[in-house]
Protein backbone atom coordinates (compact mmCIF):
# COMPACT_ATOMS: atom_id res chain seq x y z
CA UNK A 1 0.00 0.00 0.00
CA UNK A 2 1.40 3.33 -0.99
CA UNK A 3 0.68 6.73 0.38
CA UNK A 4 -1.36 8.88 -1.96
CA UNK A 5 -0.11 12.35 -2.68
CA UNK A 6 -3.11 14.70 -2.40
CA UNK A 7 -1.14 17.85 -3.12
CA UNK A 8 -2.54 19.93 -5.97
CA UNK A 9 -0.92 19.31 -9.31
CA UNK A 10 1.49 22.08 -10.24
CA UNK A 11 3.05 23.09 -13.50
CA UNK A 12 4.99 20.30 -15.21
CA UNK A 13 8.70 20.55 -14.60
CA UNK A 14 10.81 21.53 -17.60
CA UNK A 15 14.53 21.72 -18.19
CA UNK A 16 15.84 25.28 -18.25
CA UNK A 17 18.82 26.19 -20.38
CA UNK A 18 21.66 27.91 -18.55
CA UNK A 19 23.19 31.12 -19.91
CA UNK A 20 26.33 29.33 -21.03
CA UNK A 21 24.22 27.43 -23.60
CA UNK A 22 22.72 30.51 -25.19
CA UNK A 23 24.41 31.10 -28.51
CA UNK A 24 22.12 33.59 -30.20
CA UNK A 25 23.94 36.43 -31.97
CA UNK A 26 21.90 39.13 -30.21
CA UNK A 27 22.56 37.65 -26.78
CA UNK A 28 26.29 37.26 -27.38
CA UNK A 29 26.59 40.77 -28.82
CA UNK A 30 24.91 42.27 -25.77
CA UNK A 31 27.23 40.35 -23.47
CA UNK A 32 30.30 41.51 -25.38
CA UNK A 33 29.17 45.14 -25.51
CA UNK A 34 28.35 45.15 -21.81
CA UNK A 35 31.67 43.63 -20.81
CA UNK A 36 33.91 45.70 -23.06
CA UNK A 37 32.03 49.00 -23.24
CA UNK A 38 34.79 50.64 -21.20
CA UNK A 39 37.47 49.74 -23.77
CA UNK A 40 35.87 51.22 -26.87
CA UNK A 41 37.86 53.69 -28.93
CA UNK A 42 38.26 57.03 -27.18
CA UNK A 43 40.83 59.78 -26.76
CA UNK A 44 43.73 58.72 -24.58
CA UNK A 45 43.76 60.43 -21.19
CA UNK A 46 47.17 60.74 -19.52
CA UNK A 47 47.62 60.28 -15.80
CA UNK A 48 47.76 63.26 -13.50
CA UNK A 49 51.15 64.96 -13.59
CA UNK A 50 52.25 63.69 -17.01
CA UNK A 51 51.40 66.95 -18.80
CA UNK A 52 51.46 70.51 -17.39
CA UNK A 53 48.24 71.77 -15.82
CA UNK A 54 47.61 74.35 -18.56
CA UNK A 55 48.08 71.87 -21.44
CA UNK A 56 44.94 70.76 -23.28
CA UNK A 57 44.83 67.04 -23.98
CA UNK A 58 42.72 65.14 -26.51
CA UNK A 59 42.43 64.83 -30.27
CA UNK A 60 39.92 65.47 -33.05
CA UNK A 61 39.37 61.88 -34.20
CA UNK A 62 35.66 60.99 -34.51
CA UNK A 63 35.63 57.88 -32.34
CA UNK A 64 31.83 57.81 -32.43
CA UNK A 65 31.92 56.69 -36.04
CA UNK A 66 34.49 54.04 -35.24
CA UNK A 67 32.53 52.71 -32.29
CA UNK A 68 29.31 52.76 -34.31
CA UNK A 69 30.95 50.37 -36.75
CA UNK A 70 32.28 48.34 -33.81
CA UNK A 71 32.99 44.83 -34.98
CA UNK A 72 32.27 41.73 -32.90
CA UNK A 73 35.91 41.43 -31.94
CA UNK A 74 36.06 42.04 -28.20
CA UNK A 75 39.65 43.24 -28.15
CA UNK A 76 39.89 45.85 -30.92
CA UNK A 77 40.39 48.94 -28.73
CA UNK A 78 43.15 50.12 -26.42
CA UNK A 79 42.57 48.63 -22.98
CA UNK A 80 44.68 51.04 -20.95
CA UNK A 81 48.08 50.68 -19.31
CA UNK A 82 46.70 49.79 -15.88
CA UNK A 83 44.71 46.89 -17.34
CA UNK A 84 47.73 45.67 -19.32
CA UNK A 85 49.97 45.99 -16.24
CA UNK A 86 47.64 43.69 -14.31
CA UNK A 87 47.54 41.16 -17.14
CA UNK A 88 51.35 41.24 -17.39
CA UNK A 89 51.42 39.39 -14.06
CA UNK A 90 49.86 36.29 -15.62
CA UNK A 91 52.50 33.67 -16.31
CA UNK A 92 51.34 33.02 -19.88
CA UNK A 93 51.53 36.71 -20.80
CA UNK A 94 54.79 37.45 -19.02
CA UNK A 95 56.61 34.43 -20.44
CA UNK A 96 55.42 35.24 -23.97
CA UNK A 97 56.68 38.85 -23.71
CA UNK A 98 60.00 37.84 -22.16
CA UNK A 99 60.62 34.97 -24.54
CA UNK A 100 59.84 37.10 -27.61
CA UNK A 101 62.63 39.46 -26.56
CA UNK A 102 65.00 36.69 -25.44
CA UNK A 103 64.75 35.09 -28.87
CA UNK A 104 65.73 38.38 -30.53
CA UNK A 105 68.94 38.63 -28.48
CA UNK A 106 69.54 34.91 -27.88
CA UNK A 107 72.48 34.77 -30.29
CA UNK A 108 73.50 38.39 -29.78
CA UNK A 109 74.93 40.79 -32.35
CA UNK A 110 78.33 42.04 -33.49
CA UNK A 111 79.78 45.41 -34.30
CA UNK A 112 81.51 45.19 -37.67
CA UNK A 113 83.30 47.44 -40.14
CA UNK A 114 83.11 47.38 -43.91
CA UNK A 115 86.25 49.49 -44.27
CA UNK A 116 89.15 47.95 -46.18
CA UNK A 117 91.49 50.89 -45.57
CA UNK A 118 91.33 51.06 -41.77
CA UNK A 119 91.88 48.47 -39.07
CA UNK A 120 88.93 48.87 -36.68
CA UNK A 121 89.65 45.93 -34.34
CA UNK A 122 90.78 48.21 -31.51
CA UNK A 123 87.87 50.60 -32.04
CA UNK A 124 85.33 47.76 -32.09
CA UNK A 125 86.83 46.21 -28.97
CA UNK A 126 86.56 49.52 -27.08
CA UNK A 127 82.96 50.03 -28.22
CA UNK A 128 82.03 46.50 -27.14
CA UNK A 129 83.50 47.21 -23.69
CA UNK A 130 81.47 50.42 -23.55
CA UNK A 131 78.29 48.53 -24.52
CA UNK A 132 78.92 46.23 -21.58
CA UNK A 133 79.74 48.98 -19.09
CA UNK A 134 76.56 50.92 -19.95
CA UNK A 135 74.45 47.73 -19.69
CA UNK A 136 73.10 48.00 -23.22
CA UNK A 137 72.04 44.34 -23.36
CA UNK A 138 69.89 44.72 -20.24
CA UNK A 139 68.39 48.00 -21.45
CA UNK A 140 67.44 46.49 -24.81
CA UNK A 141 65.76 43.48 -23.20
CA UNK A 142 63.87 45.71 -20.75
CA UNK A 143 62.85 48.01 -23.61
CA UNK A 144 61.65 45.07 -25.68
CA UNK A 145 59.66 43.52 -22.82
CA UNK A 146 57.82 46.76 -22.07
CA UNK A 147 57.11 47.33 -25.78
CA UNK A 148 55.67 43.81 -26.04
CA UNK A 149 53.59 44.23 -22.87
CA UNK A 150 52.33 47.83 -23.33
CA UNK A 151 52.64 48.39 -27.09
CA UNK A 152 55.34 51.04 -26.72
CA UNK A 153 58.43 51.91 -24.69
CA UNK A 154 61.15 54.57 -24.82
CA UNK A 155 64.93 54.52 -24.50
CA UNK A 156 66.16 57.86 -23.15
CA UNK A 157 69.80 58.96 -23.42
CA UNK A 158 71.16 60.94 -20.46
CA UNK A 159 74.04 63.35 -21.16
CA UNK A 160 75.97 65.46 -18.72
CA UNK A 161 74.47 68.91 -18.22
CA UNK A 162 71.43 68.34 -20.48
CA UNK A 163 68.79 69.32 -17.88
CA UNK A 164 68.01 72.60 -19.65
CA UNK A 165 68.19 71.19 -23.19
CA UNK A 166 65.74 68.28 -22.97
CA UNK A 167 63.25 70.01 -25.25
CA UNK A 168 65.85 70.70 -27.95
CA UNK A 169 66.80 68.29 -30.72
CA UNK A 170 69.86 66.14 -30.09
CA UNK A 171 72.23 66.20 -33.05
CA UNK A 172 74.44 63.14 -33.36
CA UNK A 173 77.72 64.92 -34.05
CA UNK A 174 80.83 65.93 -32.15
CA UNK A 175 79.52 69.44 -31.49
CA UNK A 176 76.71 68.14 -29.25
CA UNK A 177 78.17 64.90 -27.90
CA UNK A 178 81.79 65.09 -26.83
CA UNK A 179 84.07 62.47 -25.34
CA UNK A 180 82.85 61.47 -21.89
CA UNK A 181 79.48 63.27 -22.15
CA UNK A 182 77.38 60.11 -21.89
CA UNK A 183 75.95 59.27 -18.46
CA UNK A 184 73.78 56.34 -19.52
CA UNK A 185 70.44 55.21 -20.85
CA UNK A 186 67.02 54.89 -19.20
CA UNK A 187 63.99 52.82 -20.19
CA UNK A 188 60.72 54.76 -19.82
CA UNK A 189 57.31 53.08 -19.75
CA UNK A 190 54.66 54.74 -21.97
CA UNK A 191 52.19 55.59 -19.18
CA UNK A 192 54.53 58.38 -18.05
CA UNK A 193 54.46 60.06 -21.48
CA UNK A 194 52.09 62.07 -23.66
CA UNK A 195 52.77 63.65 -27.08
CA UNK A 196 53.35 67.40 -27.02
CA UNK A 197 52.25 67.75 -30.63
CA UNK A 198 52.27 65.97 -33.98
CA UNK A 199 51.61 66.54 -37.67
CA UNK A 200 48.05 65.48 -38.53
CA UNK A 201 47.58 67.66 -41.62
CA UNK A 202 50.15 66.59 -44.21
CA UNK A 203 50.46 62.85 -44.94
CA UNK A 204 53.27 63.54 -47.41
CA UNK A 205 55.67 64.64 -44.67
CA UNK A 206 57.91 62.09 -42.97
CA UNK A 207 56.60 63.02 -39.50
CA UNK A 208 52.90 62.41 -40.25
CA UNK A 209 51.34 61.10 -37.01
CA UNK A 210 54.82 60.84 -35.47
CA UNK A 211 55.25 63.05 -32.37
CA UNK A 212 58.41 65.15 -32.43
CA UNK A 213 58.23 66.03 -28.74
CA UNK A 214 56.86 64.35 -25.60
CA UNK A 215 55.84 65.27 -22.08
CA UNK A 216 57.46 63.03 -19.48
CA UNK A 217 55.84 63.71 -16.11
CA UNK A 218 55.54 67.40 -16.91
CA UNK A 219 58.92 67.82 -18.64
CA UNK A 220 59.05 68.40 -22.37
CA UNK A 221 61.57 66.10 -24.06
CA UNK A 222 62.54 66.03 -27.73
CA UNK A 223 61.80 62.77 -29.53
CA UNK A 224 65.44 62.76 -30.72
CA UNK A 225 66.50 62.12 -27.10
CA UNK A 226 64.11 59.22 -26.40
CA UNK A 227 63.63 56.62 -29.09
CA UNK A 228 60.24 54.93 -29.24
CA UNK A 229 60.01 51.17 -29.80
CA UNK A 230 56.70 50.03 -31.33
CA UNK A 231 56.62 46.40 -32.42
CA UNK A 232 53.00 45.95 -33.55
CA UNK A 233 51.91 49.24 -35.11
CA UNK A 234 48.29 50.34 -35.62
CA UNK A 235 46.66 52.44 -38.37
CA UNK A 236 47.16 56.21 -38.21
CA UNK A 237 43.49 56.83 -37.43
CA UNK A 238 43.64 55.13 -34.04
CA UNK A 239 47.22 56.00 -33.06
CA UNK A 240 46.09 58.87 -30.79
CA UNK A 241 43.85 56.50 -28.78
CA UNK A 242 46.87 54.24 -28.26
CA UNK A 243 49.01 57.16 -27.06
CA UNK A 244 50.92 56.76 -30.35
CA UNK A 245 52.02 53.29 -29.36
CA UNK A 246 51.01 50.01 -30.92
CA UNK A 247 49.20 46.83 -30.11
CA UNK A 248 50.29 45.00 -27.00
CA UNK A 249 51.17 41.34 -27.31
CA UNK A 250 49.14 40.81 -24.13
CA UNK A 251 46.08 42.32 -25.81
CA UNK A 252 46.52 40.12 -28.86
CA UNK A 253 46.92 37.04 -26.68
CA UNK A 254 43.93 37.77 -24.44
CA UNK A 255 41.27 35.67 -26.25
CA UNK A 256 43.70 32.76 -26.65
CA UNK A 257 44.75 32.89 -22.98
CA UNK A 258 41.11 33.04 -21.88
CA UNK A 259 40.31 29.93 -23.90
CA UNK A 260 43.41 28.17 -22.58
CA UNK A 261 42.55 29.01 -18.97
CA UNK A 262 39.03 27.72 -19.46
CA UNK A 263 40.30 24.37 -20.76
CA UNK A 264 43.08 24.22 -18.17
CA UNK A 265 40.62 24.77 -15.32
CA UNK A 266 37.94 22.41 -16.68
CA UNK A 267 40.20 19.40 -17.14
CA UNK A 268 40.92 18.96 -13.40
CA UNK A 269 37.18 19.23 -12.74
CA UNK A 270 36.53 16.47 -15.25
CA UNK A 271 39.22 14.33 -13.64
CA UNK A 272 37.71 14.94 -10.19
CA UNK A 273 34.34 13.72 -11.46
CA UNK A 274 35.87 10.85 -13.40
CA UNK A 275 34.15 8.15 -11.30
CA UNK A 276 30.44 8.33 -10.37
CA UNK A 277 28.59 5.73 -8.28
CA UNK A 278 24.96 4.90 -8.95
CA UNK A 279 23.01 3.43 -6.01
CA UNK A 280 19.77 1.81 -7.14
CA UNK A 281 17.24 1.71 -4.32
CA UNK A 282 13.59 2.16 -3.42
CA UNK A 283 13.42 5.92 -3.88
CA UNK A 284 9.79 6.21 -2.85
CA UNK A 285 10.50 4.66 0.50
CA UNK A 286 13.61 6.76 1.07
CA UNK A 287 11.89 10.00 0.15
CA UNK A 288 9.37 9.47 2.91
CA UNK A 289 12.24 10.09 5.32
CA UNK A 290 14.73 12.50 3.81
CA UNK A 291 16.89 12.47 6.94
CA UNK A 292 17.29 8.74 6.71
CA UNK A 293 18.05 8.97 3.00
CA UNK A 294 20.75 11.60 3.55
CA UNK A 295 22.26 9.51 6.33
CA UNK A 296 22.38 6.53 3.96
CA UNK A 297 24.27 8.54 1.34
CA UNK A 298 26.64 10.00 3.93
CA UNK A 299 27.48 6.50 5.11
CA UNK A 300 28.24 5.47 1.56
CA UNK A 301 30.48 8.50 0.92
CA UNK A 302 32.29 8.04 4.23
CA UNK A 303 33.35 4.51 3.35
CA UNK A 304 34.15 5.22 -0.31
CA UNK A 305 37.90 4.59 -0.45
CA UNK A 306 40.24 1.66 -0.93
CA UNK A 307 39.95 0.64 2.73
CA UNK A 308 36.21 1.18 3.14
CA UNK A 309 33.32 -1.27 2.93
CA UNK A 310 29.64 -0.73 2.20
CA UNK A 311 26.74 -3.03 3.10
CA UNK A 312 23.67 -2.88 0.84
CA UNK A 313 20.35 -4.65 0.70
CA UNK A 314 20.88 -7.21 -2.04
CA UNK A 315 17.13 -7.50 -2.61
CA UNK A 316 16.32 -3.79 -2.98
CA UNK A 317 19.66 -2.10 -3.68
CA UNK A 318 22.41 -2.38 -6.28
CA UNK A 319 25.61 -0.43 -6.78
CA UNK A 320 27.10 0.53 -10.15
CA UNK A 321 30.12 2.58 -11.15
CA UNK A 322 30.15 4.91 -14.15
CA UNK A 323 33.43 6.32 -15.49
CA UNK A 324 33.72 9.44 -17.61
CA UNK A 325 35.83 8.97 -20.72
CA UNK A 326 39.05 10.99 -20.61
CA UNK A 327 39.92 10.26 -24.22
CA UNK A 328 40.95 13.36 -26.16
CA UNK A 329 41.56 15.64 -23.15
CA UNK A 330 45.31 15.66 -23.74
CA UNK A 331 44.83 16.52 -27.41
CA UNK A 332 42.46 19.37 -26.54
CA UNK A 333 44.89 20.74 -23.98
CA UNK A 334 47.79 20.51 -26.43
CA UNK A 335 45.77 22.28 -29.12
CA UNK A 336 44.80 25.13 -26.77
CA UNK A 337 48.43 25.46 -25.74
CA UNK A 338 49.50 25.59 -29.36
CA UNK A 339 46.97 28.34 -30.13
CA UNK A 340 48.46 30.53 -27.38
CA UNK A 341 51.60 30.73 -29.54
CA UNK A 342 49.74 32.18 -32.55
CA UNK A 343 49.99 35.92 -31.64
CA UNK A 344 53.66 35.77 -30.59
CA UNK A 345 54.59 33.34 -33.40
CA UNK A 346 56.74 31.40 -30.96
CA UNK A 347 56.90 27.63 -31.10
CA UNK A 348 55.31 25.62 -28.27
CA UNK A 349 58.78 24.40 -27.29
CA UNK A 350 60.15 27.95 -27.10
CA UNK A 351 57.18 29.30 -25.13
CA UNK A 352 56.74 26.45 -22.64
CA UNK A 353 60.23 24.94 -22.52
CA UNK A 354 58.95 21.43 -23.23
CA UNK A 355 58.13 19.42 -26.32
CA UNK A 356 54.37 18.76 -26.42
CA UNK A 357 52.83 15.45 -27.40
CA UNK A 358 49.60 14.91 -29.23
CA UNK A 359 48.21 16.73 -32.21
CA UNK A 360 50.24 19.38 -34.00
CA UNK A 361 53.37 19.01 -31.88
CA UNK A 362 56.08 21.58 -32.61
CA UNK A 363 58.57 20.57 -35.27
CA UNK A 364 61.19 21.93 -37.61
CA UNK A 365 58.62 23.92 -39.59
CA UNK A 366 57.53 25.89 -36.54
CA UNK A 367 61.12 26.71 -35.60
CA UNK A 368 61.85 27.98 -39.11
CA UNK A 369 58.74 30.20 -39.02
CA UNK A 370 59.78 31.49 -35.60
CA UNK A 371 63.31 32.31 -36.81
CA UNK A 372 61.89 34.12 -39.83
CA UNK A 373 59.72 36.29 -37.58
CA UNK A 374 62.60 36.95 -35.14
CA UNK A 375 64.95 37.92 -37.98
CA UNK A 376 62.35 40.42 -39.23
CA UNK A 377 62.14 41.97 -35.74
CA UNK A 378 65.91 42.18 -35.48
CA UNK A 379 66.48 43.98 -38.77
CA UNK A 380 63.38 46.17 -39.03
CA UNK A 381 62.50 47.02 -35.42
CA UNK A 382 65.52 46.68 -33.11
CA UNK A 383 68.40 47.47 -35.46
CA UNK A 384 67.53 51.20 -35.95
CA UNK A 385 67.62 51.73 -32.17
CA UNK A 386 70.91 49.82 -31.78
CA UNK A 387 72.41 51.89 -34.62
CA UNK A 388 71.36 55.03 -32.71
CA UNK A 389 73.05 53.68 -29.56
CA UNK A 390 76.19 52.80 -31.55
CA UNK A 391 76.54 56.37 -32.85
CA UNK A 392 76.12 57.89 -29.37
CA UNK A 393 78.65 55.53 -27.77
CA UNK A 394 81.13 56.02 -30.60
CA UNK A 395 80.92 59.80 -30.17
CA UNK A 396 81.31 59.39 -26.40
CA UNK A 397 84.40 57.16 -26.78
CA UNK A 398 86.24 58.82 -29.68
CA UNK A 399 84.58 62.20 -30.25
CA UNK A 400 83.59 61.16 -33.76
CA UNK A 401 81.59 58.50 -35.54
CA UNK A 402 83.01 56.09 -38.10
CA UNK A 403 80.54 55.58 -40.92
CA UNK A 404 81.95 52.17 -41.77
CA UNK A 405 80.74 50.66 -38.47
CA UNK A 406 77.46 48.74 -38.43
CA UNK A 407 75.46 46.22 -36.39
CA UNK A 408 75.03 42.64 -37.57
CA UNK A 409 72.91 40.08 -35.71
CA UNK A 410 74.38 36.61 -35.37
CA UNK A 411 72.58 33.75 -37.16
CA UNK A 412 69.71 32.28 -35.16
CA UNK A 413 70.46 28.68 -36.11
CA UNK A 414 73.16 26.89 -34.15
CA UNK A 415 75.43 24.68 -36.24
CA UNK A 416 76.43 21.18 -35.24
CA UNK A 417 80.11 20.17 -35.10
CA UNK A 418 79.76 18.29 -38.40
CA UNK A 419 78.10 21.24 -40.15
CA UNK A 420 80.73 23.63 -38.76
CA UNK A 421 83.57 21.39 -39.96
CA UNK A 422 82.08 21.27 -43.46
CA UNK A 423 81.75 25.06 -43.58
CA UNK A 424 85.33 25.59 -42.36
CA UNK A 425 86.58 23.12 -44.97
CA UNK A 426 84.84 25.08 -47.73
CA UNK A 427 86.25 28.35 -46.37
CA UNK A 428 89.74 26.87 -46.35
CA UNK A 429 89.39 25.77 -49.97
CA UNK A 430 88.19 29.25 -50.87
CA UNK A 431 91.16 30.94 -49.15
CA UNK A 432 93.61 28.61 -50.92
CA UNK A 433 92.10 29.39 -54.32
CA UNK A 434 92.13 33.14 -53.64
CA UNK A 435 95.77 33.07 -52.49
CA UNK A 436 96.83 30.93 -55.48
CA UNK A 437 95.10 33.36 -57.83
CA UNK A 438 96.93 36.30 -56.17
CA UNK A 439 93.59 37.90 -55.30
CA UNK A 440 94.57 38.04 -51.61
CA UNK A 441 97.88 37.33 -49.86
CA UNK A 442 98.39 34.80 -47.04
CA UNK A 443 98.39 37.52 -44.39
CA UNK A 444 94.92 38.67 -45.44
CA UNK A 445 93.67 35.08 -45.32
CA UNK A 446 95.17 34.78 -41.86
CA UNK A 447 93.30 37.88 -40.69
CA UNK A 448 90.03 36.44 -41.97
CA UNK A 449 90.67 33.19 -40.05
CA UNK A 450 91.71 35.06 -36.92
CA UNK A 451 88.52 37.18 -36.97
CA UNK A 452 86.26 34.14 -37.44
CA UNK A 453 85.54 32.73 -33.97
CA UNK A 454 84.23 29.49 -35.49
CA UNK A 455 87.26 28.83 -37.68
CA UNK A 456 89.31 27.07 -35.00
CA UNK A 457 92.13 29.61 -35.55
CA UNK A 458 90.52 32.58 -33.87
CA UNK A 459 93.07 35.16 -32.72
CA UNK A 460 96.21 33.53 -34.18
CA UNK A 461 99.01 35.80 -35.42
CA UNK A 462 100.43 35.62 -38.92
CA UNK A 463 103.98 34.32 -39.30
CA UNK A 464 105.42 34.11 -42.79
CA UNK A 465 106.93 30.76 -43.72
CA UNK A 466 109.79 30.82 -46.21
CA UNK A 467 109.07 27.94 -48.56
CA UNK A 468 112.08 28.75 -50.80
CA UNK A 469 115.54 28.66 -49.07
CA UNK A 470 118.10 31.33 -49.80
CA UNK A 471 119.94 30.58 -53.10
CA UNK A 472 123.40 31.41 -51.64
CA UNK A 473 122.83 28.93 -48.83
CA UNK A 474 121.83 26.23 -51.32
CA UNK A 475 124.96 26.93 -53.40
CA UNK A 476 127.23 26.70 -50.35
CA UNK A 477 125.69 23.34 -49.43
CA UNK A 478 126.36 22.06 -52.96
CA UNK A 479 130.01 23.26 -52.90
CA UNK A 480 130.56 21.51 -49.62
Amino acid sequence: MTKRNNAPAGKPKTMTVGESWRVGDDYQSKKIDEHFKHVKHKAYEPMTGVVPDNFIVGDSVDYGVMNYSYMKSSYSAFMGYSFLANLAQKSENRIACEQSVNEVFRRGFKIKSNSTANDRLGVISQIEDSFQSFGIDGHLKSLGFKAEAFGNAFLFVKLKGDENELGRDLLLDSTKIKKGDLEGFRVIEPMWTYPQGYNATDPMRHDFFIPQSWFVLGKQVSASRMKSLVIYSVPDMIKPSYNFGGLSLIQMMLPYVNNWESVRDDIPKIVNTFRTYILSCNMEGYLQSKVEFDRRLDTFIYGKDNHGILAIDKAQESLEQMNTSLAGLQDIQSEMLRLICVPSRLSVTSLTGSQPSGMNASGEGEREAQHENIANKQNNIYKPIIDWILKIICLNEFGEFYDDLFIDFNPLDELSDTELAEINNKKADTYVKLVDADIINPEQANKALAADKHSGFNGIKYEAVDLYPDEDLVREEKDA
Side-chain angles (χ1 to χ4, degrees), residues 245-264:
L247 273 173
S248 161
L249 177 59
I250 294 176
Q251 181 171 338
M252 294 192 293
M253 289 183 60
L254 189 55
Y256 299 92
V257 172
N258 287 344
N259 292 338
W260 155 252
E261 288 179 337
S262 176
V263 171
R264 182 197 62 190

Side-chain angles (χ1 to χ4, degrees), residues 1-19:
M1 182 175 181
T2 60
K3 185 177 180 180
R4 180 177 297 176
N5 187 2
N6 295 323
K11 294 182 179 180
K13 294 182 178 180
T14 59
M15 178 180 292
T16 59
V17 179
E19 290 197 357

Side-chain angles (χ1 to χ4, degrees), residues 153-167:
F154 298 88
L155 187 65
F156 171 76
V157 55
K158 181 67 177 71
L159 302 176
K160 293 179 180 179
D162 66 350
E163 289 78 8
N164 298 324
E165 297 185 357
L166 295 178

Side-chain angles (χ1 to χ4, degrees), residues 39-40 89 93 105 117 162 202 208 227 230 232-233 303-304 331 367 381 386 434-435:
V39 293
K40 288 186 177 181
Q89 300 176 85
N93 295 330
F105 297 103
D162 66 350
D202 189 357
F208 184 65
K227 288 297 182 179
V230 176
Y232 311 103
S233 60
K304 194 187 70 173
D331 290 341
R367 285 190 291 272
I381 296 175
I386 304 176
L434 293 175
V435 171

Side-chain angles (χ1 to χ4, degrees), residues 38-236:
H38 62 286
V39 293
K40 288 186 177 181
H41 294 292
K42 62 180 182 179
Y44 174 75
E45 298 177 1
M47 295 188 300
T48 303
V50 172
V51 300
D53 294 336
N54 58 351
F55 186 81
I56 300 176
V57 299
D59 56 71
S60 59
V61 177
D62 188 358
Y63 294 109
V65 175
M66 300 181 66
N67 290 326
Y68 179 77
S69 59
Y70 189 70
M71 304 301 291
K72 290 187 178 181
S73 172
S74 308
Y75 315 97
S76 60
F78 183 53
M79 295 179 174
Y81 295 125
S82 59
F83 187 69
L84 294 172
N86 282 327
L87 289 179
Q89 300 176 85
K90 284 191 175 184
S91 59
E92 295 87 354
N93 295 330
R94 184 171 187 86
I95 291 174
C97 293
E98 286 182 345
Q99 191 61 21
S100 295
V101 180
N102 290 339
E103 284 296 324
V104 170
F105 297 103
R106 177 172 59 88
R107 299 285 293 162
F109 57 86
K110 291 181 180 179
I111 302 170
K112 296 183 177 180
S113 170
N114 54 19
S115 173
T116 58
N118 300 299
D119 185 1
R120 300 295 190 197
L121 292 180
V123 171
I124 292 174
S125 177
Q126 185 172 340
I127 293 177
E128 289 176 344
D129 293 339
S130 184
F131 264 64
Q132 186 173 0
S133 64
F134 283 108
I136 300 303
D137 183 68
H139 286 315
L140 289 173
K141 289 183 178 179
S142 176
L143 179 73
F145 171 79
K146 296 180 188 302
E148 295 276 1
F150 300 115
N152 190 13
F154 298 88
L155 187 65
F156 171 76
V157 55
K158 181 67 177 71
L159 302 176
K160 293 179 180 179
D162 66 350
E163 289 78 8
N164 298 324
E165 297 185 357
L166 295 178
R168 301 177 182 176
D169 290 343
L170 176 64
L171 301 178
L172 298 183
D173 58 38
S174 57
T175 61
K176 300 297 292 186
I177 303 178
K178 299 179 175 60
K179 293 180 64 175
D181 276 355
L182 179 62
E183 288 190 3
F185 296 88
R186 310 284 187 271
V187 177
I188 302 176
E189 294 184 1
M191 66 279 298
W192 314 121
T193 66
Y194 190 79
Q196 186 271 338
Y198 56 92
N199 167 31
T201 59
D202 189 357
M204 293 178 290
R205 282 171 46 183
H206 72 281
D207 61 348
F208 184 65
F209 271 84
I210 301 177
Q212 299 301 303
S213 183
W214 294 83
F215 285 117
V216 182
L217 284 182
K219 296 181 180 180
Q220 185 174 343
V221 182
S222 170
S224 61
R225 296 177 181 269
M226 46 186 285
K227 288 297 182 179
S228 172
L229 178 64
V230 176
I231 299 177
Y232 311 103
S233 60
V234 296
D236 291 338

